[in-house]
Amino acid sequence: MGDLTEEWATQVAEAELSGTLPRRWAHTQGVAKRAVEVSQVLGQDAGLLVAAATLHDVGYAPRLAVAGFHPLDGARFLRDEHGADERLTRLVANHSFALMEAEERGLRQELATEFPLLEDPLLVDALVYCDMTTTPDGGRTTAKERVAEILGRYGDDSVVGRFIRRAASEIFAAAGRLEVALAAQPR
């Protein structure tokens, strides 16, 4: 994946999110910016990270909300309407421990069967890091602050609240692993 895929991802995400969900579009742009900043740890998969970061929330677009679960709706849209790369669709489908949230929604088997987890821990961690260190408005934050913000926005007893509480330790661990990888990079 390269610059053309990243440009395509930006065009698709902007078309789907900027008009109907401007705050989600701001978050998406911030996540993509973080991906560019950390992509050096991924070598040849740098472009894939940036594309996945740019498209990770495209399933929130109202016209795409079929299942009502944005990772699944977004991955299906990318696969079915755009013939997107399988690794890209699997990253979008499973971003930020989506399988745990799918379980809360009764969609775990559907998500796991249709879009199996990607066996590339550093790439998966990098996408979690980018998403979970970006505010809803596209600014920088820490993973702990982001989890707290999500809990505050959705509430402890909501589907998202239950999921984020379960996933918090995994999110913090993924962010920590990526920070270690970044620190090990030559300057």
Side-chain angles (χ1 to χ4, degrees):
M1 299 214 166
D3 290 343
L4 290 178
T5 301
E6 293 168 39
E7 288 176 30
W8 165 80
T10 300
Q11 291 170 356
V12 169
E14 183 174 16
E16 297 299 334
L17 297 173
S18 66
T20 57
L21 299 170
R23 191 170 190 217
R24 184 67 56 186
W25 174 233
H27 169 72
T28 295
Q29 290 174 294
V31 174
K33 183 177 178 184
R34 290 292 264 179
V36 169
E37 292 169 1
V38 304
S39 64
Q40 74 273 10
V41 301
L42 295 169
Q44 67 183 17
D45 284 335
L48 177 58
L49 173 64
V50 174
T54 304
L55 293 164
H56 80 286
D57 276 353
V58 73
Y60 275 116
R63 78 173 194 92
L64 306 180
V66 176
F69 182 46
H70 79 277
L72 185 58
D73 289 332
R76 285 175 172 164
F77 161 72
L78 293 170
R79 178 193 64 202
D80 299 344
E81 288 193 31
H82 290 281
D85 176 83
E86 180 186 0
R87 292 177 73 215
L88 176 61
T89 60
R90 287 169 64 186
L91 278 169
V92 168
N94 290 288
H95 75 272
S96 299
F97 301 100
L99 201 56
M100 286 183 176
E101 186 175 346
E103 188 172 333
E104 291 285 335
R105 296 174 178 275
L107 295 169
R108 181 183 174 90
Q109 187 62 38
E110 194 171 342
L111 180 64
T113 300
E114 206 167 326
F115 299 100
L117 289 172
L118 198 61
E119 296 297 327
D120 192 333
L122 186 60
L123 183 56
V124 170
D125 284 351
L127 185 55
V128 170
Y129 176 85
C130 294
D131 185 20
M132 299 309 284
T133 61
T134 303
T135 68
D137 297 313
R140 290 176 180 247
T141 190
T142 66
K144 288 188 180 188
E145 289 169 346
R146 178 81 162 120
V147 166
E149 179 276 322
I150 292 168
L151 276 171
R153 187 164 24 119
Y154 288 93
D156 283 346
D157 293 327
S158 69
V159 169
V160 175
R162 289 190 305 271
F163 148 69
I164 205 72
R165 282 194 330 269
R166 284 181 53 214
S169 63
E170 298 291 337
I171 291 166
F172 302 151
R177 288 188 298 266
L178 199 278
E179 288 167 352
V180 167
L182 287 168
Q185 288 290 301
R187 300 211 179 244

